[in-house]
Amino acid sequence: MALEKVDKVWMDGELVDWDRATVHVLTHALHYGTGVFEGIRCYDTKRGPAVFRLRDHLGRLFRSAQIYMMEIPYSIDELVVASKALIRANGLRECYVRPLAYLGFGHMGLNPLLAPVNVSIAVWKWGAYLGEDCLENGSRVQISSWKRHDPNIIPANAKATGQYVNSGLAKIEAVKGGYDEAIMLNPHGYVTDGSGENVFIVKDGVLFTPPTHAGILEGFTRDTVITIARDRGYEVRETDLVRSDLYTADEAFFTGTAAEVTPIREIDDRRLGSNGRGPITKELQQTFFAVVRGEIPEYERWLDLVE
Ligand code: PPE
């Protein structure tokens, strides 16, 4: 996705000009992947721009930092205020919000405990993650030959920058093979996530999604969709899935902050029953977009107004 410049970036407590939002080449995180981050979306609603589940995402940022023993020198409240101030400063009504805590400049060598912690927040306009066509007609997906890391190699429930080299390998293989996205299995052969999304399938009207122990990132979009689906009377089971479960699904879709709810129409060249965006996928996708745009009062608790 080619970035479109905005005015300001928040860096360690200050709003700096976009062109000056730079770091030294000896920033620890550039060399060793020592950062934790979040991806959040702000949507336009009739009450003005609202950030979706802002505090939940920032809570996960702090849990990721806890795992890697990074002391973030701000509170969640301070980062809430900073995120909203940044969105206002850039005059954006809809955007993606990317908080990042990273080990900075001053110490080289592997010991992360010696390096300073810097924090930045950037916002930019980000449209459909896999493209508009995939949102409407579904994506073509490949099961990657690259496995997701075991939790005793890299904890999947922390959102650390370095672990995304693994997703990057899967994404390269998928796009070089002509697919839109990859799904990764864990070392035991069970389904985990897409390169940057959680995965759901639908069979006989029941939704299935891999459980936390499979080595997924516990996505807030996943949680949102599970909540919406159960509220609408669907049964949702968090259970281990193998690749043939995916091949024989009636419907499948991805969830993620960037990907929102993106249908899957083909997995390893097998067309799914729905052959496009399935009916339950469509219902949940439409409900999701209504929820994030503040059109369903029942879920307004998830919206954090910018103004
Ligand atoms: N699994 C992975 C591996 C993942 O990276 C994400 C988010 C999710 C699941 C969904 O989590 P949630 O956003 O809380 O529903 N991936 C972020 C980064 C994407 C990127 O390309 O950068 C995102 O969607 O913001």
Side-chain angles (χ1 to χ4, degrees), residues 60 96 98 129 148 159 164 193 196-197 219-221 257-258:
R60 188 170 68 187
Y96 185 82
R98 168 59 56 83
Y129 190 54
R148 181 64 89 205
K159 207 169 162 57
Y164 279 82
D193 285 342
E197 312 92 343
F220 291 111
T221 321
T257 298

Side-chain angles (χ1 to χ4, degrees), residues 37-40 57 60 96 98 124 126 129 148 159 163-164 167 193-198 216-222 255-259:
F37 71 105
E38 271 306 316
I40 316 171
H57 281 280
R60 188 170 68 187
Y96 185 82
R98 168 59 56 83
W124 66 87
W126 206 348
Y129 190 54
R148 181 64 89 205
K159 207 169 162 57
Q163 76 195 51
Y164 279 82
S167 286
D193 285 342
S195 70
E197 312 92 343
N198 292 119
I216 62 163
L217 180 75
E218 256 182 289
F220 291 111
T221 321
R222 173 183 181 274
T255 63
T257 298

